[in-house]
Amino acid sequence: MTIDVSLCVLAVWIAYFLRLSEWTPLYGPMAWAVVGSLVLAIPVFAIVGIYRPVFRHAEAAGYNQILFALLIYGLAYFTVFTAWSVPGVPRTVGIIQPVLLFVFMILARVLARYILRELIDRSDGVRVLPRVLIYGAGVSGRQLAAAIGSRREMKVAGFLDDNKGLQGASVNGIRIYSTEGISELVDKLVVDEVLLAIPSATQQRRNEILALLRSLRVRVRTLPDIIELVLNDFPNQNITNLDIHDLLGRDIVTPDRLVMNAHLAHRTILVTGAGGSIGSELCRQIIAANPSKILLFDNSEFSLYSIHRELEAFLAARATSDRDIEVELIPLLGSVQNEQRVDEIMACWKPSHVYHAAAYKHVPLVEHNPIQGVVNNVFGTMTVAQQCVKHKVGHFVLVSTDKAVRPTNTMGATKRLAEMVLQALSEESGDTCLSMVRFGNVLGSSGSVVPLFRQQILAGGPVTITDDRITRFFMTIPEAAQLVIQAGAMATGGEVFVLDMGEPVKIVDLARNMIELSGLTVRDHGNPFGDIELRVVGLRPGEKLYEELLIEDAPITTGHPRIRKAVEGFLPVKELNIQLQLLREAVNDRRSDKVRQILVATVKEFAPTVDVLDYVHINNHGAKELRQISA
């Protein structure tokens, strides 16, 4: 305000000079021009509010306030000293002075902001701020740049944008560069990171951009859509290390929300394994469809506590905007192997839908503990399915895996046998619709390679892969959960649903991408001085070089363009029951070798690649060939 008072006086003095061609003392009648300026300007500026914004954060909106205030002041000053006229004050002063004041006030604020920024930059001189390029000069990019500028934790060196009409221009003093010659630009600007602010870009375009950035030795991070962050029920951090979708290498498969919501709304839903990676995401997707109750069933106390607390927080946040929707959450401890516990739960709440995600899924662990794998994956599934039939549950959906197709390990064989149990049971299931959903590896789930690779990269390596030829189908956790619900809604009984997941991904390429997009280089024969070693450690017990989704060819199309129905054979009920009885006896006798024989005889496609590796079996039989195999 003091500066503005001084500028008012200075503008009057220079206005007199421009009118009279000489410097004139401001006293006597000439002083009325000064008094009038101060009486009009300061109250108008205060009322309009140009002194309220935090000055160093004021952007375009702050300057708009100044322009509005100066317009009101200029009209008032012109009216008093030009239109009405004041004795001793030339009429032209009423025109010249507001114009000069406008120029002085804008220049003063620009200069003051520049000085403030210089002082702040010098205060940061003791710590070197990371310099970043923002890829995308659109709305998200500008918002990100403003947020970075206010936090003072990074310094924006510039924008990158494909739009040639923007290249060479600047946004809030930050220049927009072309993507051509990006390698030289990164060196010139001493860039440490590239932040992707292109939430609307297609996956193909994102892949092209990532391929362009991969060789630059800069860290790459991504920004989700700001609007999506505001509206999302389960928001992530604003800037993530790498969008999980970029590792997928294909567009996300979108579900039919109307079908899902109609299938689940106002129903009682039971989710087994509710605290696991897939089970917890199923709960998140289900709760958004507004069921009346969700029964959260899990054997792990901590996992059950975590998902229950998360969903309670979600409901509490949603209650502020939609009080008409109520969902009851019921956390239930127990094992799917406990028939009495499953029976009492279904008898008490009478669920209409059961999503069975409880399973042992880690290939090496199940290979070393095969009896527990059979008990949980086969007989646990059979227990839940039989109780669903007994209590006339409308829909039962098994979460299966691509490892059930021509399995080479015990885990895959147990999941295929679980599928066969449901296929046989569906022949006499009555009111219960039994179906299965089969999909590939899930990015970001517990035990998947992505969290493991991230930990290894943070630790400085090595990043370990089992074989440089190995490939896998990948999908995201939300995709997997949505597929389970969508397929369950389309089921009529006994179907095995699979997702068309595009081309498989080479694990070695995934590892290289994660290393290079972290701003590091791979240490190998071609680059012995790289940052992170990529080490091949050999296939784990029962692991395959590649996975499949179908046993038989020619899958059947469904109402969803990316969901197919597999045509799979299975044993008749009587024959299957004989094999299951033999399997149960072998389990009760703790005979891992016998369990293996029965699995091979029952699951015709099962072709184990290693001997029985049950730790207890080997120890009891005094085998000397116990292998030290990395988990």
Side-chain angles (χ1 to χ4, degrees), residues 606-624:
F606 181 27
T609 57
V610 293
D611 295 331
V612 176
L613 296 178
D614 186 337
Y615 287 127
V616 176
H617 175 84
I618 292 174
N619 185 69
N620 289 341
H621 288 76
K624 299 180 180 180

Side-chain angles (χ1 to χ4, degrees), residues 157-341:
F159 288 104
L160 290 170
D161 205 283
D162 303 321
N163 188 340
K164 295 187 180 297
L166 295 177
Q167 294 167 4
S170 63
V171 176
N172 294 329
I174 304 172
R175 186 170 178 181
I176 303 173
Y177 295 94
S178 168
T179 54
E180 297 178 4
I182 187 173
S183 179
E184 293 78 6
L185 181 65
V186 166
D187 292 337
K188 177 183 175 181
L189 299 179
V190 196
V191 172
D192 301 295
E193 294 188 37
V194 176
L195 305 181
L196 300 184
I198 47 173
S200 60
T202 64
Q203 188 60 49
Q204 180 181 357
R205 181 56 188 149
R206 292 177 72 89
N207 292 343
E208 293 171 357
I209 293 170
L210 289 173
L212 178 68
L213 301 177
R214 197 167 292 141
S215 61
L216 298 181
R217 294 202 64 183
V218 294
R219 188 182 182 191
V220 179
R221 292 197 284 172
T222 187
L223 177 77
D225 188 356
I226 296 293
I227 302 301
E228 180 183 333
L229 285 173
V230 173
L231 298 179
N232 193 7
D233 297 325
F234 294 93
N236 298 315
Q237 293 180 344
N238 285 15
I239 300 177
T240 58
N241 286 334
L242 190 65
D243 193 333
I244 205 80
H245 300 160
D246 294 323
L247 299 177
L248 196 62
R250 59 170 172 80
D251 291 328
I252 299 300
V253 177
T254 56
D256 188 335
R257 287 285 181 185
L258 294 177
V259 171
M260 290 171 56
N261 292 347
H263 189 59
L264 300 175
H266 312 300
R267 308 293 178 89
T268 297
I269 315 295
L270 168 63
V271 179
T272 70
S277 302
I278 300 300
S280 60
E281 184 61 30
L282 273 170
C283 294
R284 296 184 190 101
Q285 298 290 338
I286 289 169
I287 201 170
N290 303 318
S292 60
K293 295 182 181 68
I294 304 180
L295 311 177
L296 310 169
F297 188 48
D298 203 286
N299 196 37
S300 167
E301 181 186 26
F302 177 73
S303 298
L304 184 61
Y305 164 77
S306 299
I307 186 60
H308 182 233
R309 184 179 178 185
E310 178 185 330
L311 296 178
E312 281 189 321
F314 166 69
L315 289 176
R318 192 173 69 171
T320 59
S321 59
D322 197 342
R323 299 181 182 275
D324 295 332
I325 297 175
E326 294 184 5
V327 180
E328 185 179 357
L329 300 174
I330 304 170
L332 299 164
L333 274 170
S335 170
V336 295
Q337 304 168 27
N338 188 331
E339 184 176 352
Q340 183 178 0
R341 178 61 167 159

